[in-house]
Amino acid sequence: MRITACVGDYAEKSYSVPGVDLPVFCAEELCFCIKENAFLLDASLMGDPIVKWLDKQCGLHDLADNLGVLLRQGVGLSVFVLTILQYVGLYDGTTMREVEQLLKMGAGLSQLEKRKKQIDFLLHKKNYQAAVCGYQELIRLWEEKDRTKESLPGIGCLADIWHNLAIAQSGLMEFDQAAEGFLKAYLLNQDRTEAFNYGAAMKLALPKQEYEAFLAEKGHLYFDEYELNSRIQNLLMEWEQSPEASLLSRMRELCETGETEGFAKEAQRIIGRMKESYRSGQISID
């Protein structure tokens, strides 16, 4: 067990982190919020409100003084944020360097683009349900900004949102909805890969007879069936050579041969690895 001593006081009044709109009540909560939402942070964090809150509510007078000096010097966001993280000491150097990198990557991006980057991270970690909700929220925000004639990123960004939404839905086996997302992406960017993704999703979503009717009616307008089947066969070959396929085969063999003790032991090993992966934010079951 790792114990972290609290730094400063627990505030009577919370501080709402700009760009995140999440209330925090102590320095540790502030650091956690910064780490988890680094892509959403911008220069609006750097101001008197956070300095006064750390000083008056948390009793961190030295930290507040240091931040006040940095504000007068006109430092960048990453210096300001790392000063807070280093003072509180909640994270190690590796984590702080990761936060610094995220801040640099997010510099110059709009709030919508920053939000997309955060959701992309959820998708990368295979948190599919959260990613689906996030991308759907982004699409609604995009449509609202478009109606009000607000500035938006290039159309390629919207195509990427639809593509990533479809990937997340595929991860949830929602292939009919994924097909819609791939088609939307294709119509926006005319990337042939999206057309093949659309065809593959429809092939997985529809019964054979319905798929053949779809293919004859309009599927041929988007992709070549022979090339699609060739791509699918290549993917199947890659799957058969993967560690996951080997693991599944081993588990199936133990089950079919009635080796319940071996099956249970292997299952416990996998669960243990998945728990470790969850804690570290990585996905691995081999």
Side-chain angles (χ1 to χ4, degrees):
M1 178 183 297
R2 187 175 68 182
I3 299 175
T4 302
C6 294
V7 174
D9 304 324
Y10 195 83
E12 293 183 5
K13 295 182 180 180
S14 66
Y15 171 73
S16 183
V17 180
V20 181
D21 295 327
L22 184 69
V24 295
F25 285 87
C26 64
E28 287 76 20
E29 289 183 3
L30 173 63
C31 291
F32 179 80
C33 183
I34 287 173
K35 173 182 174 293
E36 295 299 311
N37 299 278
F39 266 121
L40 296 179
L41 301 179
D42 56 30
S44 61
L45 178 70
M46 301 167 58
D48 288 338
I50 189 171
V51 174
K52 290 180 179 178
W53 179 76
L54 288 167
D55 184 26
K56 304 299 184 184
Q57 291 291 322
C58 298
L60 298 175
H61 311 303
D62 291 342
L63 175 58
D65 289 343
N66 291 339
L67 295 176
V69 171
L70 293 178
L71 288 178
R72 290 190 291 273
Q73 292 175 345
V75 301
L77 178 61
S78 60
V79 174
F80 189 85
V81 166
L82 288 177
T83 298
I84 297 173
L85 296 181
Q86 288 169 351
Y87 186 94
V88 177
L90 188 62
Y91 300 114
D92 59 20
T94 299
T95 301
M96 288 193 289
R97 284 191 292 273
E98 290 174 355
V99 171
E100 182 180 17
Q101 184 63 27
L102 291 174
L103 290 169
K104 290 179 178 179
M105 291 172 63
L109 297 178
S110 67
Q111 286 300 107
L112 189 148
E113 289 173 302
K114 288 183 179 182
R115 178 61 179 152
K116 177 184 174 298
K117 290 290 186 181
Q118 187 181 52
I119 301 167
D120 290 346
F121 183 75
L122 294 174
L123 177 62
H124 175 70
K125 295 299 183 181
K126 300 186 180 181
N127 191 343
Y128 296 128
Q129 188 60 60
V132 166
C133 293
Y135 288 125
Q136 290 173 338
E137 169 201 335
L138 272 187
I139 291 169
R140 289 192 294 269
L141 178 60
W142 187 291
E143 292 172 346
E144 177 61 29
K145 286 182 175 293
D146 190 42
R147 281 194 297 269
T148 57
K149 307 299 182 181
E150 295 183 50
S151 176
L152 285 166
I155 201 66
C157 179
L158 180 59
D160 198 37
I161 291 171
W162 277 110
H163 169 84
N164 289 353
L165 170 61
I167 292 293
Q169 290 168 328
S170 297
L172 296 174
M173 307 299 177
E174 297 172 349
F175 297 114
D176 53 340
Q177 298 177 48
E180 178 187 359
F182 287 130
L183 179 58
K184 295 266 192 180
Y186 172 70
L187 295 175
L188 287 168
N189 62 16
Q190 295 296 301
D191 186 335
R192 288 185 71 246
T193 299
E194 302 291 5
F196 280 99
N197 291 338
Y198 170 55
M202 291 296 287
K203 197 178 186 73
L204 291 167
L206 297 174
K208 182 178 180 180
Q209 190 171 359
E210 291 182 28
Y211 172 75
E212 290 175 350
F214 152 77
L215 184 64
E217 182 181 356
K218 54 184 179 181
H220 65 283
L221 300 175
Y222 299 102
F223 57 90
D224 177 79
E225 170 73 355
Y226 176 81
E227 187 176 347
L228 173 63
N229 286 334
S230 177
R231 293 188 181 194
I232 291 175
Q233 287 302 314
N234 288 337
L235 289 172
L236 286 173
M237 290 176 61
E238 288 181 18
W239 157 253
E240 290 171 355
Q241 297 172 8
S242 69
E244 291 84 358
S246 176
L247 172 64
L248 181 61
S249 176
R250 185 166 70 250
M251 295 296 290
R252 183 183 292 114
E253 181 181 352
L254 289 171
C255 183
E256 291 175 350
T257 57
E259 297 183 35
T260 55
E261 184 176 344
F263 182 89
K265 184 177 180 180
E266 186 68 9
Q268 287 299 317
R269 186 187 71 83
I270 294 170
I271 292 172
R273 289 294 303 275
M274 292 178 71
K275 287 180 178 179
E276 292 175 7
S277 298
Y278 177 80
R279 295 189 188 102
S280 63
Q282 301 173 348
I283 304 298
S284 175
I285 60 173
D286 58 356

